Amino acid sequence: MTLSYDAVADKLASLAKRRGFVFPSSEIYGGAGATWDYGPLGVELKNNVKRAWWRAMVQLRDDIVGLDAAILMHPRVWEASGHVQNFIDPLVECGNCHRRFRLDDLRDGEELIDQWRGGKVDLSDVPCPVCGMRKLADPRRFNLMFKTFVGPVEEEASVAWLRPETAQGIFVNFENVQQSTRRKLPFGIAQVGKSFRNEITPGNLIFRSREFEQMEMQYFCRPEDAPLVFESWLGTRRDWYREYGIRDDLLRFREHAENERAHYAAKAIDIEFRFPFGWKEMEGIHNRTDYDLRRHSEYSGKDLRYFDEAANERFLPYVVETAVGADRAAYALLCAAYDEEPDKEGVRVVLRLHRDLAPYKVAVLPLSKNEKLTPLAREVAVMLRPHLLITYDETQAIGRRYRRQDEIGTPLCVTIDFDSLEDRQVTIRDRDSMAQVRVAIADLVPALRERLGV
Ligand code: GAP
């Protein structure tokens, strides 16, 4: 890479918009405040990330099953889970410019957060990050959940919350899943779905937004097994990122201090990724103990204890969860994949995405837009389409089209030239090495499959 890693965020922001990965939501109205729409390439990328996670976490394991729970849940769920009471950020308003901030966005934010958690924080000497005046009000508790109403009447009795984590759908279905699948401990339940948080300071493209997707897995085990289960998930999840192209120097583990942990966690370790704007949480691994099942038992009146036949005992399982944002993971994977290298036309931008994550697997390119080449190129495209996600492009010079595919991470290009008309062979070009090899059209599908590992 010839460019500095710090510059990658700006490069990706421009690439994301220009090439159709991500657009600001409702852009023609000026945007909808930290919500994003995924364009034709972005939706493929994010689906591939979710698919890769689901495959590793559900389909390749015999101890984890899937679930897709509703976003709107009974309001008591969020009282039981502790979110109504505790899902709070400290919000600070400037008395001069009236901008609002999270406490940790201020100078020495981490220290201020520690003071706030200790019960007393002094902001008299802290400047506003925007206007510089020392007129910040004391922090107030701001609940991050979005409130709405179910049915036609907007009253307290019809309040509903947009879920801020997918996990609660899993906890309230623990007994349904356990009994319908006749699972014995230990086993996990996994889910991918939308979550919503009214973030005070969203930002950095899709890193922190108000509507996002989570990929969460809750692993239920005997209480005494939770520490070992926790350790093993650290390695399993780090290996998953490695497999999909995140180098070790871009990943680290960071354990939460006691006063930093979420209200449900007895132990929490973040898998942090080195984003171009600093080390940030990508995934959280938490030992949630029996907190959630216990609270739901209390609030619903339903005994959620598990019966262990062998031991002839009834108890509430402990839960180790792995929780990652699909958007945040997709962004990290883009950062890790972004590369630039000098070439004879200046700079070649390459997204070195893992082939399973790349939006398109193959680009079909006639050497030039020519009436003799087009029919054969289209024939090749039609032949490939049922097998692989392809794109077809015949505008501009072939070098420019290779660059366009490199920039969006397409692993392979197939070029149809004038010799192809005679010998029915085409050229396969590899994105990373730029090596080219001639293959008979009759052998093209297996040749591409082999290179793509599918
Ligand atoms: N169930 C546990 C839980 O939700 P979390 O650490 O609050 O834990 C898990 O969130 C993951 O969800 C984070 O590591 C991050 O990847 C993603 N996430 C959280 N808030 C987000 C936001 N506002 N925008 C995008 N992703 C977010």
Side-chain angles (χ1 to χ4, degrees):
M1 158 119 65
T2 51
L3 86 163
S4 106
Y5 184 61
D6 299 358
V8 166
D10 287 342
K11 302 263 183 183
L12 275 178
S14 138
L15 176 68
K17 173 88 198 294
R18 191 163 36 83
R19 299 305 311 272
F21 280 91
V22 180
F23 309 121
S25 168
S26 319
E27 193 180 12
I28 59 170
Y29 289 96
T35 51
W36 298 91
D37 298 339
Y38 285 78
L41 296 185
V43 66
E44 296 295 344
L45 170 69
K46 189 153 74 130
N47 281 343
N48 291 341
V49 170
K50 290 186 284 184
R51 201 173 294 124
W53 185 89
W54 192 259
R55 188 166 157 70
M57 298 294 282
V58 179
Q59 294 174 337
L60 291 178
R61 300 188 64 112
D62 66 1
D63 58 346
I64 301 182
V65 291
L67 182 77
D68 184 8
I71 290 173
L72 294 176
M73 302 178 76
H74 194 288
R76 290 279 282 168
V77 167
W78 304 108
E79 290 168 30
S81 70
H83 284 79
V84 171
Q85 176 74 17
N86 298 314
F87 200 54
I88 301 287
D89 266 353
L91 172 74
V92 174
E93 183 167 345
C94 173
N96 182 53
C97 68
H98 300 290
R99 299 288 280 268
R100 297 188 176 109
F101 311 93
R102 258 167 47 165
L103 188 61
D104 54 345
D105 292 331
L106 304 179
R107 194 188 66 192
D108 301 327
E110 297 299 320
E111 222 171 276
L112 296 172
I113 287 279
D114 279 347
Q115 292 172 13
W116 177 71
R117 288 191 182 119
K120 187 142 183 58
V121 56
D122 179 8
L123 299 182
S124 56
D125 198 34
V126 180
C128 167
V130 171
C131 72
M133 299 293 281
R134 286 172 164 72
K135 288 196 166 182
L136 296 171
D138 284 343
R140 79 181 159 83
R141 290 164 63 81
F142 178 76
N143 194 301
L144 297 182
M145 285 197 295
F146 283 101
K147 200 180 204 176
T148 185
F149 298 92
V150 171
V153 186
E154 294 195 7
E155 60 185 12
E156 243 350 82
S158 58
V159 161
W161 305 96
L162 298 189
R163 67 181 179 199
E165 62 168 7
T166 54
Q168 296 304 325
I170 287 177
F171 295 126
V172 300
N173 277 293
F174 167 70
E175 195 183 67
N176 283 337
V177 174
Q178 190 264 323
Q179 291 185 356
S180 61
T181 60
R182 294 151 44 108
R183 290 274 152 178
K184 292 201 182 339
L185 293 185
F187 73 93
I189 306 178
Q191 176 167 214
V192 176
K194 288 257 174 158
S195 291
F196 304 83
R197 295 183 189 179
N198 196 3
E199 300 281 2
I200 299 168
T201 45
N204 288 318
L205 202 69
I206 51 176
F207 173 79
R208 182 180 287 119
S209 45
R210 294 195 168 109
E211 174 180 339
F212 54 98
E213 277 188 276
Q214 288 188 307
M215 307 187 289
E216 295 204 281
M217 190 281 308
Q218 274 64 39
Y219 202 81
F220 299 86
C221 61
R222 294 188 65 90
E224 63 274 23
D225 294 340
L228 266 183
V229 169
F230 187 99
E231 289 307 313
S232 80
W233 276 108
L234 291 176
T236 305
R237 294 300 304 143
R238 189 205 40 227
D239 292 348
W240 186 80
Y241 290 111
R242 271 192 192 140
E243 184 181 343
Y244 287 99
I246 297 194
R247 303 186 316 267
D248 278 358
D249 61 308
L250 296 177
L251 278 185
R252 72 180 187 192
F253 291 136
R254 190 182 69 81
E255 178 154 9
H256 285 207
E258 196 181 334
N259 65 358
E260 185 191 357
R261 288 198 291 260
H263 59 275
Y264 49 72
K267 179 171 170 121
I269 292 187
D270 285 346
I271 303 183
E272 291 191 335
F273 176 78
R274 205 186 129 217
F275 286 94
F277 39 86
W279 285 100
K280 302 279 176 198
E281 171 186 349
M282 178 158 62
E283 169 156 354
I285 301 189
H286 309 125
N287 177 353
R288 291 180 80 131
T289 68
D290 59 2
Y291 174 84
D292 301 270
L293 291 182
R294 186 161 39 76
R295 298 271 296 192
H296 286 305
S297 293
E298 283 164 23
Y299 278 68
S300 69
K302 176 108 185 143
D303 182 359
L304 294 176
R305 285 179 302 166
Y306 167 85
F307 181 62
D308 186 327
E309 281 174 35
N312 194 24
E313 59 174 333
R314 219 172 258 288
F315 60 92
L316 286 171
Y318 268 34
V319 171
V320 173
E321 85 173 346
T322 69
V324 52
D327 316 77
R328 200 173 282 188
Y331 190 21
L333 288 156
L334 281 172
C335 292
Y338 188 92
D339 197 8
E340 289 185 358
E341 58 185 29
D343 76 350
K344 54 184 185 308
E345 285 163 39
V347 173
R348 179 171 95 108
V349 174
V350 198
L351 272 189
R352 298 192 191 280
L353 285 171
H354 187 284
R355 59 201 179 190
D356 293 355
L357 304 181
Y360 296 129
K361 309 302 173 199
V362 177
V364 177
L365 313 172
L367 187 65
S368 57
K369 191 171 180 180
N370 177 285
E371 61 187 21
K372 290 209 175 80
L373 292 180
T374 298
L376 183 58
R378 293 227 176 256
E379 180 189 321
V380 169
V382 167
M383 180 185 86
L384 295 182
R385 198 164 275 125
H387 302 277
L388 298 161
L389 190 57
I390 65 153
T391 179
Y392 180 90
D393 187 5
E394 60 181 13
T395 56
Q396 296 192 316
I398 187 72
R400 291 285 283 277
R401 280 180 283 149
Y402 283 147
R403 295 293 172 273
R404 282 215 293 260
Q405 296 304 323
D406 293 342
E407 193 185 42
I408 59 171
T410 310
L412 299 171
C413 291
V414 167
T415 312
I416 294 89
D417 58 23
F418 289 98
D419 288 343
S420 310
L421 302 174
E422 308 299 323
D423 62 10
R424 292 203 53 95
Q425 292 193 353
V426 293
T427 301
I428 300 178
R429 172 198 182 261
D430 181 90
R431 174 195 72 199
D432 295 331
S433 65
M434 294 191 282
Q436 303 198 358
V437 49
R438 260 337 245 176
V439 173
I441 291 175
D443 300 329
L444 189 55
V445 171
L448 293 171
R449 280 190 183 284
E450 190 192 334
R451 284 168 176 75
L452 293 166
V454 291

